[in-house]
Amino acid sequence: MSDKTRPVVLITGASSGIGYATALALIARGWVVYAAARRVDRMAHLAASGCEVLEMDVTDDASMQAGVDRIVHQQGRIDVLVNNAGYGSYGALEDVPIEEARRQFEVNVFGLARLTQLVLPTMRALGRGRIVNISSVGGRIYEPIGSWYHATKFAVEGLSDSLRLELAPHGIDVVIIQPGPIRTEWNAISRESALERSGDGPYAAQAAALVANYENVDSSPLSGTAEGVARTIVKAVTVRYPRSRYATPASAKVIVGLRRLLPDVLMDGMLSRLAT
């Protein structure tokens, strides 16, 4: 049954990490939360906490359409979309099969864009709404062994900037969240892909350095948590006038600031030293 007094949010990639933490944070604030992911079995706690769970694959148009239709049928609207689904696929460009590169774009960019297309008619009809796209500091900086992942996040940044201007006349905000080093299972998945594809051969040294850096994220006091990112997302969806970008945690703000200040030659040198 529709509840017109509570905001309605759809969160993708909600079975773990940032999406999971955001779903819990918003349900605690009294929102109507639709938590979407491919694996519904991993969202049992969310369902028990009061979230509506949806089986959704952002590479499957039918599942996205069905999910949006269900929410609109039940609630009459979608106030906020949090495009969080995504993953990090690492390896030297020479080593990564083009099929995997395409999948990385399908999940991180085209799935985000298609789901946004599906929710916009309802938001435009209401004359309000908010799209929150989870990017990364990787949409501002770059590193060896991560070319395809960074390409997707640079794409999300550019897409979001253009979309912000397109939707402003319709009362719809577009916000980018830029997580930095975060202690989640994302790190392990990214490390595994780097070793699988470039752990041997001409790029092995750079792959090993990246893995070591990402292992440090799990123990560094400068790293953030999924709950910390969720608090930033809650702020972005509840303030009246959101900023266009939120970098989190503090280390992410430093990284973004350095990229803004340093010329390419200095940035290249700093990032290359981390990769050796």
Side-chain angles (χ1 to χ4, degrees):
M1 181 180 294
S2 173
D3 185 344
K4 297 185 182 302
T5 65
R6 298 195 293 158
V8 179
V9 60
L10 168 59
I11 305 169
T12 64
S15 62
S16 64
I18 292 169
Y20 190 92
T22 302
L24 288 177
L26 287 174
I27 202 74
R29 292 179 69 95
W31 284 46
V32 178
V33 176
Y34 284 82
R38 289 180 303 156
R39 295 184 57 182
V40 175
D41 59 297
R42 296 187 64 181
M43 297 189 288
H45 180 63
L46 293 181
S49 300
C51 295
E52 297 283 344
V53 300
L54 296 173
E55 183 177 357
M56 182 182 292
D57 182 344
V58 297
T59 67
D60 178 17
D61 196 83
S63 75
M64 288 189 284
Q65 183 72 69
V68 170
D69 288 348
R70 173 180 160 185
I71 300 170
V72 173
H73 174 73
Q74 292 177 344
Q75 304 298 331
R77 70 195 194 282
I78 298 174
D79 298 302
V80 175
L81 169 63
V82 179
N83 279 311
N84 172 68
Y87 74 108
S89 181
Y90 279 73
L93 185 140
E94 184 179 348
D95 295 334
V96 176
I98 288 297
E99 292 76 12
E100 171 57 21
R102 288 195 180 101
R103 181 174 183 272
Q104 178 91 145
F105 269 88
E106 286 290 342
V107 174
N108 290 5
V109 182
F110 295 119
L112 173 153
R114 178 55 180 149
L115 192 55
T116 301
Q117 286 181 330
L118 292 172
V119 305
L120 282 178
T122 300
M123 289 184 176
R124 281 192 300 99
L126 291 172
R128 59 181 170 81
R130 195 159 294 180
I131 308 293
V132 178
N133 291 332
I134 309 304
S135 178
S136 166
V137 293
R140 288 300 196 188
I141 65 165
Y142 46 91
E143 59 193 330
I145 314 299
S147 55
W148 287 115
Y149 172 73
H150 287 278
T152 66
K153 292 305 182 180
F154 271 69
V156 167
E157 296 270 338
L159 180 151
S160 300
D161 284 336
S162 293
L163 190 63
R164 186 173 63 253
L165 300 184
E166 287 178 14
L167 298 181
H170 302 282
I172 302 170
D173 301 310
V174 178
V175 179
I176 300 169
I177 306 294
Q178 298 171 316
I182 305 294
R183 293 188 290 272
T184 68
E185 65 180 26
W186 184 95
N187 293 311
I189 295 170
S190 300
R191 295 194 301 261
E192 289 167 5
S193 65
L195 288 178
E196 177 185 348
R197 299 196 176 93
S198 298
D200 297 309
Y203 304 100
Q206 289 176 314
L210 180 137
V211 168
N213 288 333
Y214 277 34
E215 286 175 340
N216 289 336
V217 168
D218 291 334
S219 58
S220 172
L222 298 178
S223 299
T225 64
E227 291 74 20
V229 180
R231 287 192 291 271
T232 300
I233 295 170
V234 169
K235 179 179 180 179
V237 302
T238 54
V239 296
R240 184 173 182 182
Y241 300 110
R243 301 204 303 262
S244 58
R245 284 175 170 80
Y246 293 85
T248 184
S251 56
K253 297 175 184 178
V254 172
I255 292 168
V256 171
L258 285 173
R259 183 65 190 109
R260 188 180 300 118
L261 294 172
L262 295 181
D264 287 349
V265 64
L266 292 181
M267 200 72 188
D268 286 359
M270 183 177 72
L271 294 172
S272 293
R273 282 193 293 276
L274 290 174
T276 56

